[in-house]
Structure formats: structure tokens, C-alpha cells
Amino acid sequence: MSESSNAAATCEAQTADAQNVIEFSDVVFSYQDAPSPALSHVTLSVKRGEFLSVIGHNGSGKSTLARLICGLLDADAGKITVLGMDASDDKLKKEIRRHAGIVFQNPDNQMVASIVEDDAAFGPENIGLSREEIGERISWALAAVGMTEYRKSDPSRLSGGQKQRIAVAGVLAIKPEILILDESTAMLDPRGRREVMDVVTKLNKEEGMTVILITHFMDEALRADRAVVLNRGEKVLEGPPEKIFESGELLETFNLSLPKITKIARELEKAGMKIGDVLQPAEIAEKIAANFEERGISRAESSPYVPEKTESAHDWDVDIRDLNYVYSKKSPFATQALKGVTLHIDEGEFFGIIGHTGSGKSTLIQHLNALIKLPQAGKHFRKPRQKKGKPAPVLPSVTIGKYNLADKKTDFKALRADVGMVFQYPEYQLFAETVADDVAFGLKNFRKNLSKEQIETAVKESISMVGLDYEEVKDKSPFDLSGGQKRRVAIAGVIVTKPHILVLDEPAAGLDPRGKWEIMELLHKIHREWCKTVIIVSHDMDEIASNCTLAAALSEGRVWACDRPAAIFARADELKALGLDVPLTVKIAEELKSHNIFVHSDCTAEDFCKKCIEAYGGDSNA
Amino acid sequence: MLNDVAFGQYYPVKSFVHKMDPRVKILALVAYIVALFLAKTFYGLAACFIALALMTLFSRVPVLRVLKSVKAVFFILIFTAVLNLFFHSGRAENLLWHWKFLKIYREGIIFTVFFTLRLFFLVMGSTVLTLSTTPVDLCSGIESLLKPLTLIKIPVHALALVMSIALRFIPTLIEETNRIIAAQKARGADFESGNIFKRIHAIVPILIPLLISAFRRADELADAMDARCYAYAKKRTRYKKLTFGWRDAIGVLLFAALITGVVLFNVYGARILPQYYEYLVLR
């Protein structure tokens, strides 16, 4: 930060009135052994009742900021006041925490009890409230997050979004004036994210609660009154979110991206349309329609969407028929995860699997490399007998290339070398002392007779493939790497056997916008150069729309649709009824229909803008 | 399947026993065990059996589940039964069979039957408790019963919180373990073959990520608890309150009657059927 803006900020803090609930002046904080400070010279104030969002890439210091407010960390220099209390004063910390509650990222790691109401009671118990008062607060807090009916439930049986709402209720029960959300939506699926964001927005608007939302989802930041951007521990931008997003390219240098809607708006503006600041699909559709009207276009239609045809060999097709799977069979908690799934994936596809939590996606992909074996391949399988008057029982079948997974004699180990599987948050499976050893683990398991040199060559290739410098990282401990690097190492550890098919569960989960983009680019590179077929499971519809050649939507253990993403997303209303999201472009296109403007795109932002401009009669390069 | 460990054996139905206060259930089990060990007559044992049958009936848990619970202690049972049978001494005129140092007396047979039944009943009784009570309820029951220990400066509440957190994290950690196992299997790890040393070595890729994750979770949980005012809490209150109801009163009466009955049988049992005295009453 330059000196003049620094001085201006300090000045602003001094003239601020007593309405400021949080004040940071020139705060510096470094973690032990860290080469650079996590926060350097941050000056910031938050007004009562304000909705502030703090945005920044992974490692930008935004979580540190949250912990400093609650006195979970103490600043090295500078001063932090919360409601007039000095946050570094140990005697005041309890008081501060009564007034500033914080919800963390992982809902699982915030709960102390196995029953929702007991967990919500934890905070009030610590303050020493009476039983009756605690009971009232639990009722109020659970109602505020819309979880009243789950009062007696076990949190471990709830969905991610529900768990996080319980965590919010646990903090609300303390009745704080300030609610801090430290990336509380990062691990949730779109539905869960929306649930939590709706609760938080309501608390801010209706209860007048001061909210500090720490996030790297730009679309969430749009909901705030004001946004602060952190980059490498420094406050680099501050202002209303719309104004911040005007700085476009500058944001990308901070490893952030524009909200998708702003990106589309800017792209259309390049072609001469007047759009301005928009937040909702309906708003942008209206603005687009106004532009069309201005040109006297009452009805417009873009050229139809023509899917590209690709021809490829069929040596590594995936074929799944009549697949059923029941968890906790014969127990009171039995749940049928898959109900007759039939699916065919041609070699060469970049295949997407979508579906909300619990739709059976993870169960399905675990069948692909026989982590879950078909019943026929089990030890004690007996063929079910045909009962009189009933059709013959149908047995599931899965074939992948030359492997028949219904056959006991199949070499499942060889299959696993040919079908690579990357689980969610794969960095949590790293264990070896050095990166090179960890990457070599799978290779050594699968190919016993390799020489040291052969292993080294393969590991080197694999690490280079994921975009890391072999010489630089090979002897490092995987735990010393950054989050994004760890994930790359974990992927390298799977592709080291050069599998023909690579399956990834939520490969971009938890990464910041730039990290997400980089991982998807990496997958395309792997698809082009190493793996014939790539299958990804994702919650992010835009990710599917812009990356996949084909996609399957799962719902309640069934394949609801399997088609080109554009064709699946064309059934927007049905998807919404299933609780699934659609890409933003589809939402805008739907809105435009009511204005007699028909845009047929492949659902990616680029193609949407191109088609929209084409219908507008403008030149996208103008 | 492993995900249900936190529920232990809990069998989710609504029943008389399910609705009882966990404290009463724990004390009832203690009373039942005391009665089993006090009993010196088969009459007393029969009384215990009636109590067990009532508990099973009114908890609506499947009888087979209760019977199967004995499987876990089956080998210990056989082992001790054999020892008792051959080494329990008796009066010389009651010696039925002998070979070298192995002798079987009539008293030995009676004692073995008695002992085996006692152990059977003990295991089955405990099973009814765990089938009808969630670990969470058990935990708060134990906490409440141990409360007097706070007087001698034992941090009962902190211990209870530790238990509660442990229960809370069992499903999470099991899920995590399953995920790590799956991930390493996908990388060709083999946990099923090879000798014992190879297998122990094979656990390393599971253990290290699991430990790291557990520590990470502990760190985050500590922060989350502190942020919810745990750190400077001096006087904590407790929301959960266990209530003693009419069902509990019936339970208390039943088990008080059981102990009394057993003691009475011990004292007067010999007079009931004097002709079979030797077979029905242990000395």
C-alpha cells in the first residue's frame, strides 16, 4: 500500500464515529517461521449493522483477520478494538467473544455434541446462563437458521449445508452483535452455500446483525454492502462490491476473478451494449433486452447450437448396467445409494457427473475401479434363484475396456492402475516423507519390477505433468507445500501409472478462483496428453458447462439424464426441481426468452456472449 | 456400515425401556449385576432371568440380538466352564469321574452350570442397556452419576465433555479412515496379503494422514470452542437435564425387589425344596 493511501485510511479511522464496531489500525501479524507477515499494516473499520465481505486468494491473510478480531490470535503491532474493547487484553477476550461470534470453514470441526440442541447449548452454557434461557436461545437460534425440526438430530447425519447452519446456530445462541463467517461456505455444495448465505443475509437485514463474510466466492461478495480485498496480507482495495469489480484485470493479479455475471456484462459492453452494475440474472436480461429494444429489435434469435462431433476408438469405453447399491444393508440405517444405474461413457470424453449430495455420485465412481465390488465378484456370492411367476433377477454389470468387473477372476489391481481415482481433497491422503516418495507410492505398488531409474523417470514426468518443478519439490515434505501444490502432488501420485481413465471427485473443491481455473486447465492437459477419458464429479454447473463434452445428472440414485451439458441444462426447470443448479448463462437465457430473445449457446460464458452479440447484430470483436 | 459405530448397538425403537432415565438404567444394570453375584441359589438366578426377560420384552429389542451378544464372550465362557468343570473340588462321595489329575465332582457340574448361566445373563443384561440407550445418553447418565466427585475436585464436567467430543468425532473419523483407505487402495495399496510385518507396514499410509487430520481437526475444534466462550468460562451451566419419571420409579422398584428377592432366596432358599437342596443351592 502506498504511503498516501495509508495516511488517508488512518485519517478515516480517526474521524469515524462511535458507530464503528470493529477498528483495525495499522495491524501487523506474522506466524512463527513464516517468511512474510500474514497481515501487514492493515487499517480497517466496520460499522454497526454493516455487511462487509473480505475477499482474497488462499493465504491472503483473510482468516488471520477473523482470528485477530476474536482474540484467537494477538497482533504483533497495531491496535484492534472491538466494540471499544482492546482485543489483545486477555481480560476482555471473553467479553469480546460474547459479542463477536465466528463460524469456521469445516462444519464437522466445530461441533462438540452428537445432538443438535446439545451443541447449540454449548456457548450459552459457557456464559453460565440458566436452563430456561438456554432453551429459549436454542429455539430462537435454530429458528433463525431454519433448523427447528432437527433439534434432536445427530449432526453427522445431516448434509453439509445443514451442518453449517447448525454451526451458525451454535454461534447465534450466544447472541453476538457481530457474526464472522470464515470461509464458512467453502466446503459446501451450491445448495448448502445458498442455504447458509440466505440465513446470513436475513440476519443482517432483519436482525441488524453486523456481518463479516470472508470468502473467495465473488458471487457471494456481491451480497455485501462493502468489500475489502486482501492480497498477500495487504489491504489493496476497499469499497462497494460493484465498484471493486470495476477494477477487472487488477483483481486477477490478486488471484481473484470477477463474478461470472460481471464478466458477462463486461463482455457484452465491449460490443456496445449498455449494462452497468448488475447482480441478478433477471437484471442483466432486462438490460440486454433494453439494448435490443433501442436498436428496434423486437425479436431476436441466435444461430442454433451445433455440438461438435468427435470420433474416437472404443477400446476404453465404460459400460455400466443395472447398478444397485445399498449402504448399511440389513441395518435400521440402510440407504439405497444407487437404483439401477445404466450409463455408457465412450473413450475420449471429458465426462461430467452432476448431482447434489447424496445422489449417489461417489458410490458410482467407486465402482469404476472396484473399490466397491459388484456382488458377483464378492467372495460369498450365490446366484439369486428365480422365483416362480417373477422375472429373472437382473445382475448388474460393469465393463471398463478389457476388464469385466463382474468376474471374480479379473485382475483388480491392474484395473486400478488403468483407472486412476482422485478423491475429494486428495491432499489429505499424502503421507510420505518426500514428495517424490509419495508420488512413487502407487507406481511401486502396481509395478513391482521397475528399476530405480525407471521409477525416478516416471515420478519426474508425473510431477512435471502437474506443473511443478521436479528438482525443487522432490525432496520437500509434502506437508510443507501450499494447498494448491499439495493437490497437484496428490494428482501426480495417481497419474504416475499413466491410467487410461482418470476419475476425479470434486477436483477443484476449496480452491480460490485462480486455483480452480488452474486445476481445470491441468485436467485438460492431462486429457490431451495422458489419459484417454477424464471423468469429473462436480457441484459447479459452470465448471461442467465450460469443461465437459458429455455429462450425466444423477438424482436419488438414478441417472436422470446423460447428454451434452447444453442439452441437460436446457431442461433448467426440471433441474431446479431436482434441487440442482444451472449455469448462470442458462438462467440469463431463460430470462431473455420472456423478452423474445433466444440465445442458443453451449452454456459457456464465452459462447453465450458471442451468440448474444450475434443476435444483437454487433461484432464481438468491435 | 462402520458409520454406525457411534450409535454403538443402539436399536432405534420407542419403548418403555428406551424412555427411561439413563441414570436409572445404569443403576439398574449395576443392581442386576450385584444381584447376579449375590445369588447363591438357582432361585435367585431365576429371579434375575425374569428381570432380564422383562427388560428385553419392554425394550422391544429383537431377542435374537440379545442372545447373539453372547457370541463375543463365547470362548472365555467355554474356557472358564471347562476349568470349573475339571478343577472345582467337592466332597469325596460325589466324585463322578477322574483321570489322572482331572476330577469331576457333582458340585463341579452344578457350579459350572450356575457360573455359565450367570455370565450369560450378565452379558445379555448389559446388551439390553446398550441396545436401548444411545451412547450420548449413557454419557450424560454417567456424568450425572459421577457429579458428587466434583466435591473432591475431579473435573467431572471436563471428562464428560471429552466423552461427548469423542462420541461426536467417531463417525467423522471413521468416515475419514474409510476415505483414506479407499484412496490408498486406488493407488494400489494392499492391506490384505503378506505376513504380519508387511501388513503393519501397509498401515503407515493410512495412519499418517489420519493422525495429521485428527490433529488438524483438534486444532480447529479448539479454536471453535474458544470462540464460543469456552476459554474463559468460569461457571458453566448445564442445559441438559435428565428427568426421573414414572417409568423410572417402576424400574427402581423392580430392581430393588430383585436384590431383596435374591438375598431372601440366599437365606431361605434351602427350605423351599429341601429334598433337592443340594442341587439348587450352592455352598
Side-chain angles (χ1 to χ4, degrees), chain A residues 55-92:
Chain A
I55 0 179
H57 57 90
N58 286 347
S60 61
K62 51 193 197 307
S63 291
T64 310
L65 188 106
R67 279 155 207 260
L68 284 166
I69 297 174
C70 296
L72 292 170
L73 295 173
D74 287 326
D76 300 337
K79 198 174 176 193
I80 302 166
T81 8
V82 180
L83 294 158
M85 293 176 277
D86 183 354
S88 61
D89 188 342
D90 273 346
K91 285 178 213 123
L92 293 173

Side-chain angles (χ1 to χ4, degrees), chain A residues 361-479:
Chain A
K361 302 178 305 247
S362 301
T363 316
L364 175 64
I365 59 167
Q366 288 195 47
H367 278 90
L368 294 180
N369 69 351
L371 284 173
I372 302 178
K373 284 186 184 167
L374 291 179
Q376 301 99 297
K379 268 180 198 153
H380 308 290
F381 177 69
R382 267 179 304 170
K383 216 174 171 184
R385 249 185 256 150
Q386 186 174 355
K387 285 177 192 156
K388 259 187 189 169
K390 291 205 175 155
V394 186
L395 288 173
S397 79
V398 177
T399 55
I400 295 170
K402 61 186 179 191
Y403 299 103
N404 174 11
L405 275 64
D407 186 354
K408 258 182 232 184
K409 291 182 213 90
T410 300
D411 183 353
F412 289 109
K413 206 163 177 181
L415 167 79
R416 284 176 193 161
D418 282 333
V419 181
M421 179 84 62
V422 180
F423 285 89
Q424 237 182 78
Y425 298 100
E427 52 275 24
Y428 292 159
Q429 56 186 264
L430 301 176
F431 71 97
E433 274 174 60
T434 68
V435 167
D437 281 351
D438 208 294
V439 173
F441 177 69
L443 194 67
K444 285 179 186 162
N445 284 332
F446 286 124
R447 315 227 199 284
K448 300 280 185 199
N449 308 319
L450 291 183
S451 70
K452 237 179 163 180
E453 288 72 34
Q454 283 172 308
I455 291 175
E456 201 187 318
T457 317
V459 169
K460 195 172 173 177
E461 270 183 15
S462 186
I463 291 180
S464 312
M465 185 71 196
V466 296
L468 294 174
D469 182 349
Y470 175 72
E471 293 302 328
E472 193 194 317
V473 298
K474 64 169 180 171
D475 295 324
K476 277 193 184 173
S477 160
F479 304 109

Side-chain angles (χ1 to χ4, degrees), chain A residues 67 108-109 119 126 129, chain B residues 168 217 223 228 236-237:
Chain A
R67 279 155 207 260
D108 276 328
N109 298 350
D119 189 74
N126 291 332
L129 297 176
Chain B
R168 156 69 196 81
R217 284 178 192 282
D223 266 355
R228 283 162 78 184
R236 290 192 86 235
T237 46

